[in-house]
Amino acid sequence: METEVALLDDKAGKSALRAALASNLEEAGKLETLINNLFKLTRLEASELEQHFTPVSVSKITSDAMTDTTSRAKTKSIRLVNEVKDATVMGDRTSLTQLLTILLDNAIKYSPDKSEIKITSKRSGSIVVVTVHDQGIGIEPEALRHVFERFYRADAARTRSDASGFGLGLSIAKLIADVHNGSITITSKMGKGTSASLELPVADTKA
Ligand SMILES: Nc1ncnc2c1ncn2[C@@H]1O[C@H](COP(=O)(O)OP(=O)(O)OP(=O)(O)O)[C@@H](O)[C@H]1O
Ligand SMILES: [Mg+2]
């Protein structure tokens, strides 16, 4: 509000602008603390969630996450291709769907119009790996090391006016993967695309 008034006022002096900026930074700092505390709470609740895990179909959560993101993909004429073979994992269906939605959301956000996003799965022994492959802008090696940090956004993402965000998606995704004794691995080639893989232990260990 204060910022808005300062920016609207042509005659606002440097000191007024500086004050507005300082107050904004203070607000941002408070929000950051709030969000960090929320993460702590979530982690506590998440450890309780484990007691309520049920068998979850990987195909089902994939198609639910695709349904969640279809309209965003459509506005960019991006083709979503589902090549996931079913497997069962133990988990919280809503959170796992949210995790895949976060990966798909990134794939869509950081990809050019008319590109293709493919979701595949691979079973090896007692684990299943679900991967979202995109043909987007990619992540530089230096940035790749930080993408799971809260509020981190690579330069390439921050400078794009069409790709806004808080830099929280992947930290939430990692939290959900951790609770499920799983992990997320991201590989990327600048200008070529990114692959984000979710690895989970399977519940049905036969075949
Ligand atoms: N598929 C991708 N292609 C290119 N860059 C990516 C991709 N996924 C993540 N990134 C990079 O990692 C950063 C962190 O991703 P994350 O999902 O945590 O945040 P965000 O997408 O910027 O914001 P939010 O998810 O909170 O809306 C992004 O800002 C972007 O720089
Ligand atoms: Mg994101």
Side-chain angles (χ1 to χ4, degrees), residues 50 53 90 127 175-183 199-201:
E50 205 173 343
F53 277 6
M90 289 304 289
I127 62 162
L175 183 81
I176 298 170
D178 286 350
V179 180
H180 287 84
N181 302 309
S183 60
E199 190 176 311
L200 289 170

Side-chain angles (χ1 to χ4, degrees), residues 102 105-106 109-110 164-170:
I102 289 168
D105 182 64
N106 282 347
K109 195 153 70 167
Y110 303 113
S164 62
F166 290 106
L168 286 173
L170 285 178

Side-chain angles (χ1 to χ4, degrees), residues 17-38:
L17 288 172
R18 201 172 281 140
L21 196 60
S23 129
N24 253 13
L25 276 176
E26 194 184 323
E27 289 302 321
K30 280 188 204 157
L31 266 182
E32 186 175 344
T33 311
L34 180 79
I35 287 165
N36 284 333
N37 287 336
L38 275 175

Side-chain angles (χ1 to χ4, degrees), residues 2-127:
E2 205 177 323
T3 323
E4 224 168 292
V5 175
L7 289 177
L8 284 173
D9 182 359
D10 281 343
K11 293 183 283 298
K14 255 192 191 156
S15 66
L17 288 172
R18 201 172 281 140
L21 196 60
S23 129
N24 253 13
L25 276 176
E26 194 184 323
E27 289 302 321
K30 280 188 204 157
L31 266 182
E32 186 175 344
T33 311
L34 180 79
I35 287 165
N36 284 333
N37 287 336
L38 275 175
F39 262 85
K40 275 186 214 148
L41 267 181
T42 312
R43 190 169 278 283
L44 281 178
E45 279 179 11
S47 52
E48 278 174 29
L49 204 68
E50 205 173 343
Q51 289 153 26
H52 305 285
F53 277 6
T54 57
V56 173
S57 147
V58 170
S59 300
K60 181 79 184 117
I61 54 171
T62 305
S63 53
D64 285 352
M66 284 176 84
T67 307
D68 289 348
T69 47
T70 289
S71 67
R72 262 165 282 164
K74 259 195 191 137
T75 56
K76 293 181 79 170
S77 306
I78 287 173
R79 207 160 80 90
L80 295 180
V81 181
N82 182 353
E83 289 183 358
V84 169
K85 291 189 255 1
D86 204 14
T88 305
V89 297
M90 289 304 289
D92 178 66
R93 185 176 146 187
T94 311
S95 314
L96 287 174
T97 306
Q98 189 193 355
L99 192 167
L100 290 181
T101 303
I102 289 168
L103 300 185
L104 272 172
D105 182 64
N106 282 347
I108 295 166
K109 195 153 70 167
Y110 303 113
S111 286
D113 287 5
K114 300 193 177 74
S115 59
E116 184 179 282
I117 294 168
K118 197 187 275 180
I119 314 178
T120 60
S121 72
K122 204 169 149 191
R123 173 93 178 250
S124 61
S126 58
I127 62 162

Side-chain angles (χ1 to χ4, degrees), residues 137-187:
I137 60 174
I139 309 170
E140 353 175 20
E142 167 56 30
L144 202 49
R145 294 195 264 141
H146 301 285
V147 290
F148 294 104
E149 291 166 18
R150 257 164 251 172
F151 303 108
Y152 180 82
R153 305 196 74 215
D155 285 342
R158 271 186 291 128
T159 50
R160 286 173 81 92
S161 56
D162 60 334
S164 62
F166 290 106
L168 286 173
L170 285 178
S171 29
I172 296 167
K174 185 181 176 329
L175 183 81
I176 298 170
D178 286 350
V179 180
H180 287 84
N181 302 309
S183 60
I184 301 172
T185 311
I186 298 182
T187 55

